[in-house]
Amino acid sequence: MKKTILAATLISLFSGAALANTTYELSHDGDKETTAKFDSELIGGLHGGIELVAMDNLKYHKETTFSLAYNFDITDAWYIEPQFDLTIPSHHAGRASYYGNINGSAMMPGGDEVDANYKSSNTAKLGIETGYSFDNGFYTSARYRYEVRDGKLKAKFLSVKEGIDATLSSKEKEKLHRFDLTAGYVVSDMVDLSANYIIKMGKLDIDNKVSEYKLKKSLDTDYSQAELELKAQYTGFDNFKPYFQYTIKGDTDFDGSLDGLKLKNDNVWKVGAQFSF
């Protein structure tokens, strides 16, 4: 039932009356996430959009993003665009239970139990982008974006063997600096080939507390990650542009309290299409 409702919500974005100068997009990726979004010109250079993301093959809603941007055309080929996005997460996936051994051994019936509930605040994103298109089909753009959000975690630990019965409360604040540098080439007005290099540099402050044992500990860590998005889009049709994208993700490196920690990120493929009316 939930899957049917979510699918109907996504379809409703495209079944209503078409807005003027509106671009729609549908995509699905290797993380089992499905995205539906549209961007429409509101007035002059101001345009806004909505993006819905579902996870687990349309089983759950993940997040919704509302976007506003204003395009300043400096020349026919050069533009500057300030941007604002607000991402509102779904809290459906914020609860998880784990049964097994807290120390990480094989899961055993009647063993240890961890029941966790995580909530993230909305994420505010402020950015500015500039780009230039050449007459020979080459184009390039650069964007900087600053993101900020908060998060809260409450986890209940229960272990008969270890004699542990405690609740962990955690508060976090995350700030992220993101840089995008894109270069592309349109081949004979038929295929758009592009590469987008992404650098993410963030700071995460976490305050942990276990009330039963009167334990408090703060973690302050910086982290960084690089990605490369490779995209090929067919542009031979007037209003329908299918594409394939492959993202190569580097490891996430941590400093500060988590110095030396590395998290491996899997590469992700995506297929999708843009269309307009």
Side-chain angles (χ1 to χ4, degrees):
M1 182 65 178
K2 292 180 180 179
K3 184 175 181 178
T4 302
I5 293 174
L6 182 55
T9 302
L10 295 175
I11 294 172
S12 69
L13 282 175
F14 308 96
S15 60
L19 299 175
N21 298 321
T22 300
T23 299
Y24 298 85
E25 182 175 338
L26 278 174
S27 65
H28 184 76
D29 64 30
D31 286 336
K32 299 181 181 180
E33 292 188 355
T34 304
T35 302
K37 63 181 179 180
F38 74 89
D39 183 271
S40 180
E41 182 178 334
L42 301 177
I43 182 172
L46 179 66
H47 56 98
I50 300 176
E51 176 184 271
L52 288 174
V53 180
M55 57 186 183
D56 292 344
N57 295 323
L58 290 176
K59 191 174 182 180
Y60 304 113
H61 169 240
K62 179 183 179 181
E63 62 189 23
T64 301
T65 298
F66 299 92
S67 303
L68 280 175
Y70 195 92
N71 186 276
F72 293 95
D73 289 324
I74 308 303
T75 67
D76 291 340
W78 178 31
Y79 72 89
I80 295 177
E81 184 178 88
Q83 305 168 345
F84 174 74
D85 298 327
L86 181 66
T87 298
I88 303 173
S90 168
H91 298 309
H92 178 88
R95 188 172 186 85
S97 296
Y98 168 76
Y99 297 88
N101 191 286
I102 291 177
N103 295 323
S105 61
M107 295 169 63
M108 299 173 59
D112 302 324
E113 177 183 345
V114 178
D115 190 9
N117 191 310
Y118 177 79
K119 291 184 178 180
S120 176
S121 71
N122 301 338
T123 303
K125 308 173 184 179
L126 290 169
I128 186 165
E129 178 179 317
T130 183
Y132 191 91
S133 299
F134 299 89
D135 294 334
N136 57 6
F138 282 99
Y139 63 89
T140 185
S141 66
R143 183 181 68 173
Y144 165 74
R145 191 169 74 189
Y146 175 72
E147 305 179 13
V148 60
R149 69 166 192 89
D150 298 323
K152 293 181 179 180
L153 171 69
K154 189 172 185 179
K156 180 72 174 180
F157 296 87
L158 176 62
S159 173
V160 177
K161 180 180 178 181
E162 303 291 341
I164 298 175
D165 184 2
T167 301
L168 168 68
S169 299
S170 179
K171 295 181 179 180
E172 67 180 31
K173 187 173 186 66
E174 183 178 18
K175 299 177 182 179
L176 176 68
H177 302 273
R178 171 173 170 155
F179 303 87
D180 291 65
L181 181 60
T182 304
Y185 179 63
V186 180
V187 183
S188 302
D189 293 327
M190 297 291 287
V191 179
D192 186 347
L193 303 174
S194 64
N196 182 34
Y197 186 65
I198 303 169
I199 298 175
K200 299 177 182 179
M201 297 186 298
K203 182 176 179 61
L204 189 60
D205 297 330
I206 306 175
D207 293 323
N208 297 314
K209 181 175 67 173
V210 182
S211 56
E212 289 85 350
Y213 297 92
K214 296 182 179 180
L215 296 177
K216 293 183 179 181
K217 185 174 180 60
S218 297
L219 296 175
D220 298 327
T221 182
D222 297 326
Y223 65 89
S224 61
Q225 185 206 354
E227 300 180 5
L228 179 62
E229 292 178 348
L230 303 174
K231 183 177 180 181
Q233 183 171 39
Y234 182 74
T235 58
F237 304 124
D238 289 337
N239 299 318
F240 181 72
K241 300 177 181 180
Y243 67 83
F244 176 81
Q245 179 177 294
Y246 190 75
T247 302
I248 303 170
K249 297 191 175 186
D251 296 341
T252 303
D253 298 320
F254 292 87
D255 295 318
S257 300
L258 300 178
D259 186 31
L261 176 65
K262 287 180 178 289
L263 294 181
K264 183 176 178 57
N265 300 295
D266 294 331
N267 300 337
V268 179
W269 57 263
K270 177 190 287 189
V271 292
Q274 294 177 331
F275 50 100
S276 57
F277 298 96

